[in-house]
């Protein structure tokens, strides 16, 4: 916690809503985009590291999370909205081009920011969530349901209120432990008649990379903000499919480093390893470097220094002295 003492906090009006950002350092701007179910705090190790190495680090709570506004309509969580929020942040800070680092849903936001507005992104470092070309034939949710059945977490998260009610059977700290300490390597599919939150285990012993106090920071924030905003990202997935039709076949040309843990969810079992090391990924992201490291899904926390070093080494290639 001590390295976060000098982090500044503010709320910025962008794209019609207020977005909370944590900020530290001076120099070229680096935008750090968190995933589900996290906040800006998931970058606590990288913020001071990058700031101390000469960067202006800005880590927002994405819409629906933490101290940012949480629109009620699930349709307000499309990738068009997310990218709009980020463009407004860049304009607020007066930056024409920035570095972007994303994890999970933050990586998805980073992919689409780079696809829609490559003029605003110097270089991209994305973690855990590869870029997938839009299917020509079916929406994402239908695809996941056909592949994994009704127990798939993406499908279970669709119905408004369903996951919220299931999560509410546990205290917030337990929910955080079930997700952030996840060690399952198969895709997240609950057995029949079981909710995904019930299927996830609660470790009795914490791993060395996170403390009870750090987990409590997340729990306290989600107790304030709830889970509906974060879950609405999943509820907008079919809408994303509809909206993304004009970009069918488009490539992401921004220089990109992609980092993933070899024990991430589905890395081996659903072909992620083959995809990220194969030709198809590079066809759609031609200026791509892939790094596979020893770790699980929340890799920037679990392997904080290794990920920080990988980020810095890539940014330095594009940073003028």
């Amino acid at each position: 916690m001590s390295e976060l003492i000098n982090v500044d906090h503010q709320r910025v009006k962008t794209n019609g809503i207020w977005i909370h950002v944590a900020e530290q350092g001076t120099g070229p701007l680096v935008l750090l985009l968190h995933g589900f179910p996290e906040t800006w705090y998931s970058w606590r190790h990288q913020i001071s590291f990058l700031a101390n190495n000469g960067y202006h680090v800005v880590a927002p709570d994405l819409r629906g999370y933490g101290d940012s506004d949480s629109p009620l309509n699930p349709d307000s969580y499309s990738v068009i909205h997310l990218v709009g929020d980020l463009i407004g942040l860049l304009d607020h800070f007066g930056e024409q081009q920035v570095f972007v680092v994303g994890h999970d849903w933050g990586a998805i936001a980073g992919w689409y920011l780079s696809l829609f507005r490559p003029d605003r992104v110097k270089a991209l470092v994305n973690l855990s969530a590869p870029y997938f070309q839009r299917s020509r034939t079916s929406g994402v949710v239908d695809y996941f349901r056909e592949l994994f059945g009704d127990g798939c977490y993406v499908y279970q998260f669709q119905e408004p209120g369903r996951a919220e009610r299931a999560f509410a059977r546990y205290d917030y700290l337990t929910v955080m432990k079930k997700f952030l300490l996840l060690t399952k390597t198969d895709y997240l599919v609950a057995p029949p008649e079981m909710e995904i939150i019930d299927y996830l285990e609660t470790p009795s012993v914490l791993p060395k990379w996170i403390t009870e106090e750090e987990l409590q920071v997340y729990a306290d924030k989600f107790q304030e903000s709830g889970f509906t905003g974060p879950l609405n990202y999943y509820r907008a997935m079919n809408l994303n499919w509809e909206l993304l039709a004009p970009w069918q076949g488009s490539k992401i040309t921004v220089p990109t480093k992609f980092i993933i843990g070899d024990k991430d969810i589905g890395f081996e079992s659903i072909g992620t390893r083959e995809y990220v090391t194969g030709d198809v990924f590079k066809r759609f992201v031609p200026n791509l470097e892939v790094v596979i490291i020893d770790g699980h899904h929340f890799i920037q926390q679990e392997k904080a220094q290794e990920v920080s070093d990988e980020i810095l080494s890539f940014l330095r290639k594009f940073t003028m002295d």
Side-chain angles (χ1 to χ4, degrees):
M1 292 289 288
S2 59
E3 72 271 17
L4 296 176
I5 291 172
N6 296 320
V7 172
D8 295 319
H9 295 268
Q10 62 169 310
R11 273 163 53 95
V12 176
K13 191 67 178 285
T14 168
N15 196 20
I17 64 171
W18 289 95
I19 292 286
H20 164 258
V21 301
E23 184 182 6
Q24 191 177 52
T26 57
L29 195 145
V30 183
L31 200 58
L32 303 180
L33 308 175
H34 69 82
F36 175 91
E38 300 173 280
T39 63
W40 71 271
Y41 187 71
S42 70
W43 299 107
R44 60 195 175 280
H45 304 293
Q46 286 74 35
I47 291 172
S48 294
F49 177 81
L50 292 171
N52 291 337
N53 278 282
Y55 292 91
H56 175 197
V57 184
V58 174
D61 287 336
L62 298 183
R63 64 166 54 208
Y65 282 90
D67 293 318
S68 293
D69 285 354
S70 186
L72 295 176
N73 190 340
D75 290 351
S76 295
Y77 291 80
S78 76
V79 292
I80 305 288
H81 291 86
L82 302 184
V83 172
D85 296 347
L86 301 179
I87 292 295
L89 283 182
L90 304 194
D91 291 345
H92 170 81
F93 287 106
E95 297 284 352
Q96 179 56 34
Q97 269 206 326
V98 303
F99 295 112
V100 178
V101 182
H103 171 255
D104 187 79
W105 269 104
I108 293 170
W111 290 126
Y112 287 108
L113 174 61
S114 300
L115 179 65
F116 300 156
R117 296 298 304 273
D119 58 309
R120 305 301 297 267
V121 184
K122 284 183 196 171
L124 174 68
V125 180
N126 265 348
L127 282 57
S128 301
Y131 178 71
F132 291 104
Q133 172 64 7
R134 174 185 181 273
S135 165
R136 292 180 183 274
T137 55
S138 64
V140 180
V141 177
D142 294 336
Y143 170 78
F144 278 112
R145 190 182 185 191
E146 287 170 16
L147 203 59
F148 300 110
D150 291 357
C152 170
Y153 77 99
V154 170
Y155 179 72
Q156 287 198 359
F157 287 176
Q158 295 304 306
E159 180 189 327
R162 175 180 174 176
E164 290 93 328
R165 288 190 297 273
F167 289 11
R169 293 199 290 269
Y170 300 92
D171 62 80
Y172 287 88
L173 183 61
T174 300
V175 174
M176 289 297 102
K177 287 179 177 179
K178 281 174 171 279
F179 280 111
L180 297 183
L181 308 183
L182 190 66
T183 56
K184 290 183 184 297
T185 55
D186 288 339
Y187 209 68
L188 297 186
V189 182
E193 308 301 321
M194 181 180 280
E195 295 296 315
I196 202 77
I197 195 70
D198 299 328
Y199 175 60
L200 298 179
E201 295 157 358
T202 309
S204 56
V205 178
L206 297 185
K208 293 179 180 178
W209 55 267
I210 198 164
T211 66
E212 192 87 8
E213 290 74 24
E214 288 171 323
L215 287 161
Q216 192 65 53
V217 171
Y218 288 112
D220 290 346
K221 193 53 63 180
F222 279 99
Q223 187 158 8
E224 293 174 17
S225 63
F227 290 105
T228 297
L231 290 163
N232 280 342
Y233 284 64
Y234 296 91
R235 293 163 187 161
M237 287 173 87
N238 276 341
L239 175 61
N240 285 335
W241 181 81
E242 295 177 20
L243 296 174
L244 289 169
W247 289 274
Q248 188 76 43
S250 294
K251 295 181 178 182
I252 293 172
T253 57
V254 169
T256 303
K257 176 182 273 190
F258 179 70
I259 305 169
I260 190 167
D262 63 355
K263 300 174 191 64
D264 205 331
I265 304 155
F267 184 71
E268 302 287 0
S269 62
I270 63 169
T272 303
R273 178 190 286 275
E274 289 77 10
Y275 177 76
V276 301
T277 57
D279 294 335
V280 178
F281 193 18
K282 289 185 175 63
R283 191 182 312 151
F284 292 112
V285 190
N287 200 346
L288 176 70
E289 177 184 336
V290 174
V291 178
I292 299 171
I293 63 179
D294 174 21
H296 297 83
H297 183 66
F298 297 96
I299 197 77
Q300 80 273 35
Q301 298 176 76
E302 181 185 2
K303 293 297 172 74
Q305 192 58 54
E306 188 173 354
V307 169
S308 294
D309 290 339
E310 289 285 356
I311 294 169
L312 182 62
S313 68
F314 195 66
L315 302 191
R316 280 183 166 159
K317 293 181 181 180
F318 308 95
T319 305
M320 301 297 289
D321 293 327

